[in-house]
Amino acid sequence: NLGINPRVHVQIIQVFDTDGPQVICPDDIVISTGPFGCTATYQIPAPLVEDACSATTYTVTASQGNLSLVGSTYFLSNLPEGPTTIEYRVVDECVGVNFCSYTVTVEDLIEPTAACNDQLIVSIGGGDTAAGITGSARIFATDVDEGSGDNCTPVSLFVRRNGWLDGDCDESADRWSEWGDYIDFLCCDVGREITVELFVNDENGNVNTCWMTVTPEDKLTPYCTAPADVELPCTDLPLTFPGDRRAHV
């Protein structure tokens, strides 16, 4: 109506938070398997969250592994080798929702276990003096090994020794044979302290070594070869040699 002053009107203004929280995930990461199995355990960090209006909460899902919540911290266990996707779902008090995800890749970064047989005894054998063949002994990498292994894959074994040059003994302890399936010992090694190393390699390129000291022993039974029979005239024999006996050498 005209003449009414002032006029009063009621206006209701509602403010809504229509934007979900801002979420920043961790960077992709590579972690290792454990030392006693080919799986990994991972503690999932909290995401970085910003929200203009209210507090937030989050939950986590993972593409594989065993997910558990201890207090306010998420853990993943029994993670196999390869990539795993971890996703955060963040909710604010206005029911705004946002997501982010990142990748955790599990690799075998653990060296294999190398175990050497420290009770190994090497005895030189064989040989043929008449044929010019000296005694020898051959020791394989599997003889030196005493339970080497890996948490994820089979292992390859190689062995080498010091005091060796071009297929023969060498006085220098700094000269080594090539890595191989076996090493040889010769008569010239008898009584010497020889360092033997075992090289253990898994299928993921992780390596380890162990070593031991071997003192080769000579256990060969000596033998001799008699010369051919010889006939001598009596004039070639000593004057004191009895004439009724045959000479035996």
Side-chain angles (χ1 to χ4, degrees):
N1 297 325
L2 296 176
I4 299 175
N5 188 28
R7 293 178 181 272
V8 178
H9 296 275
V10 177
Q11 181 183 28
I12 298 175
I13 300 174
Q14 292 183 322
V15 178
F16 293 94
D17 178 10
T18 58
D19 295 326
Q22 301 298 309
V23 187
I24 300 176
C25 268
D27 293 332
D28 293 344
I29 188 174
V30 175
I31 63 174
S32 178
T33 57
F36 304 114
C38 201
T39 59
T41 298
Y42 177 63
Q43 179 178 328
I44 301 174
L48 296 177
V49 180
E50 293 183 0
D51 190 85
C53 294
S54 62
T56 60
T57 58
Y58 74 93
T59 55
V60 172
T61 58
S63 60
Q64 59 184 341
N66 296 334
L67 183 65
S68 60
L69 180 62
V70 180
S72 60
T73 303
Y74 284 92
F75 291 88
L76 265 177
S77 59
N78 292 327
L79 277 177
E81 287 186 277
T84 297
T85 300
I86 296 175
E87 183 178 74
Y88 298 97
R89 181 180 185 271
V90 182
V91 182
D92 64 19
E93 292 177 345
C94 295
V95 200
V97 181
N98 210 342
F99 300 85
C100 76
S101 63
Y102 70 107
T103 300
V104 174
T105 301
V106 177
E107 296 181 358
D108 176 18
L109 304 177
I110 302 294
E111 295 86 355
T113 299
C116 286
N117 178 9
D118 60 356
Q119 300 296 319
L120 185 65
I121 297 175
V122 177
S123 296
I124 302 298
D128 186 345
T129 302
I133 302 173
T134 59
S136 64
R138 175 163 290 180
I139 302 300
F140 289 85
T142 51
D143 299 324
V144 178
D145 177 48
E146 195 172 43
S148 302
D150 185 70
N151 57 328
C152 285
T153 72
V155 296
S156 299
L157 303 176
F158 304 95
V159 69
R160 71 174 185 173
R161 54 155 292 180
N162 72 344
W164 189 259
L165 179 64
D166 297 332
D168 204 351
C169 303
D170 189 271
E171 292 299 323
S172 174
D174 296 326
R175 297 188 185 276
W176 293 83
S177 63
E178 297 292 332
W179 290 109
D181 296 329
Y182 60 85
I183 52 177
D184 289 329
F185 296 91
L186 304 178
C187 288
C188 49
D189 288 317
V190 171
R192 301 173 62 200
E193 290 190 347
I194 307 298
T195 300
V196 175
E197 289 188 345
L198 182 68
F199 182 89
V200 184
N201 181 30
D202 71 14
E203 293 181 354
N204 290 315
N206 303 303
V207 302
N208 206 346
T209 59
C210 62
W211 58 91
M212 54 184 289
T213 300
V214 172
T215 304
E217 301 177 356
D218 179 8
K219 299 297 186 180
L220 291 173
T221 302
Y223 63 94
C224 64
T225 302
D229 294 342
V230 176
E231 293 185 2
L232 297 175
C234 292
T235 55
D236 291 340
L237 295 174
L239 294 175
T240 58
F241 186 80
D244 59 348
R245 297 183 185 177
R246 297 183 62 187
H248 293 276
V249 179

